[in-house]
Amino acid sequence: MKRSLLIALSAASVLLPQNALAADWMSGGEIMKELVGQELAFRGKLNGKIIYRKSGEMRMLSTKGRVVYGEWRIDDENGSLCSRIKQRRQAKEICYRTRHDGFGYRTDQGYKLMPLGF
């Protein structure tokens, strides 16, 4: 019984499209389409709101009321969103991958992103 169940699950996973698997990281194009231009809430080590503007600029508002500005870009080779905040991290760039996670997104840095207004 266990063996037939494993065979059935293996066969089913082969038939699923790649993007149907929840653990798949988003491509640069998917990130552009789904995250850029939208205001998002983020939760993790820090909490607040963020918007990645189509111009390549970003604005982050922490729950403590601090506004931080920076720049972002897509790393197509790794399918990552990279950001640089001038006031923090000695202006070092940090890149992270993103995947769908229920209602919203999850980053490989442990942050949950959710669209605002819902």
Side-chain angles (χ1 to χ4, degrees):
M1 178 69 177
K2 287 183 182 179
R3 184 173 183 200
S4 61
L5 178 61
L6 288 174
I7 292 170
L9 289 174
S10 297
S13 68
V14 170
L15 297 174
L16 288 173
Q18 274 295 65
N19 60 1
L21 301 174
D24 284 350
W25 299 111
M26 296 169 66
S27 69
E30 290 172 316
I31 291 169
M32 288 289 295
K33 182 179 178 183
E34 296 184 39
L35 300 180
V36 174
Q38 296 203 37
E39 197 167 5
L40 304 163
F42 64 90
R43 293 191 179 118
K45 294 176 189 175
L46 302 172
N47 300 319
K49 299 178 198 176
I50 193 163
I51 185 165
Y52 299 102
R53 299 186 191 279
K54 293 180 181 180
S55 65
E57 298 172 325
M58 61 179 265
R59 180 180 58 106
M60 185 169 45
L61 174 64
S62 74
T63 53
K64 296 179 181 179
R66 183 168 183 208
V67 179
V68 178
Y69 296 93
E71 301 169 342
W72 67 270
R73 70 175 182 87
I74 297 292
D75 179 350
D76 285 318
E77 187 175 317
N78 297 313
S80 300
L81 190 145
C82 301
S83 64
R84 177 176 293 137
I85 299 172
K86 296 171 185 159
Q87 298 96 332
R88 292 191 177 170
R89 301 189 301 245
Q90 294 79 36
K92 291 181 185 175
E93 185 175 70
I94 186 168
C95 298
Y96 56 90
R97 295 178 296 168
T98 305
R99 65 177 168 83
H100 292 99
D101 184 47
F103 180 72
Y105 308 90
R106 177 79 54 184
T107 72
D108 62 355
Q109 301 283 321
Y111 281 91
K112 174 75 175 179
L113 300 170
M114 296 179 54
L116 292 176
F118 292 96

